[in-house]
Amino acid sequence: MTLSNGRPYVAIPGPSVMPDRVLAAMQRPAPNIYRGAIVDLTHSILADLKRVAKCTAHVALYICNGHGAWEASLCNMASRGDRMLACANGHFGLGWADAARRMGIDVETLDFGRSAPIDTDRLSETLKADRDHEIKAVLVTHVDTASSVRNDIQAVRAAIDAAGHPALLAVDAIASLGCDPLHFDDWGIDVLVAASQKGLMTPPGLGFLWFSDKALEQSRSADLATPYWSWIPRIEARVFSHTFGGTSPTHHLFALREALDMIEEEGLEHIWARHRALAGAVWAAFDVWGQDGPISLNVADPAMRSRAVTAARIRNGGGEALRGWVETQAGVTLGIGLGMALADDPTHDDFFRVGHMGHVNAHMTLGVLATMEAGLQALQIPHGSGALDAAAGAIVRAIPEIGAPAPVSA
Ligand SMILES: *Cc1c(COP(=O)(O)O)cnc(C)c1O
């Protein structure tokens, strides 16, 4: 017998849980793709995406996943042979750099390991050494979803400025947009990359690029940009179809419109606070579990942790064992470890992740933690006792901090 029948919960770091309202919004026939409602809907989405990223500059939409958005960002910033500097704290930072390399960009990677944020002194020194200012862009992952390290983007901006370097600051916010605070304008970001299926609660298949005037200027001479991936025709579209380089992703747009309405209704600041509170419950449980035995969080300093995903380890293959138990016995799917150890490394099966991004509330998070507690007991994995008390306490303490939902802004 298992207890997994009932509504399953996929608690992985994307695709995240899609709200029923978002799913229902797609239940309609295809619209006219040349004029009328879909055009207005798209323009409303562009305006709201700028609001979500706190950006007053440009935004372009693409039919693609995050990997596609990576390539779109790279080809608009560079010509073949140009130099870039990539900062990596895990699988995704390394992946963006690898995409750049395979596109013919000369990338230098500053690898900060898999548990620590960017060392901004090292970044600044590397930029200062580039006296001729050949480096065209600095690539930074806001939250590396594999390691759950969260970088301080303002500190990165300050390091670039301290070096007096003109490189663009390009940020991958695929796992943080709509979960962690993010301010395109105020943080001095030049290029921001995101996708639909994480904090934005929409099916995978849409990629987004926000970019500054400076990045737009640099893109005018970037010879890696191809007709489909260049952002220029998308923002200067004289015909609606140019916005998407062809047919628009009609039903993704219906879904995203609904998700953006939900974000507007809750209020972005409240959404950030909700993610912080739920992450706090997850961390509180892990702190207790880890008091006795093989369980540990990947990122020691809470200030450097994502509020959307938590990477953890249970030694002796416990991560995979727990993932298997909660999925088959209780209907909860946790995220796999990604890039933390090679497949033939004996520690490979230690690593796993808990997603808590997007359409997630207190009972879902507490349910996942209680299910994990049951799994630890069933598998006889040693752990400190009282984790669920601690998680509940974190929720209770967070509620007055969050306060009333922000009023719906006009
Ligand atoms: C999910 C993710 C990606 C990759 O997105 P795909 O849609 O799977 O291609 C890249 N970067 C970060 C930070 C992510 O979280």
Side-chain angles (χ1 to χ4, degrees), residues 13-15 64-70 91-93 96 141-146 172-176 193 195-198 204-206 309 338 353 357:
C64 65
N65 60 15
H67 284 73
W70 273 350
H91 178 80
F92 287 102
W96 198 9
T141 310
H142 186 201
V143 162
D144 196 304
T145 325
D172 173 350
I174 296 174
S176 55
V193 182
S196 50
Q197 78 273 23
K198 301 196 180 174
L206 288 179
V309 54
L338 208 53
R353 293 171 299 159
M357 56 173 58

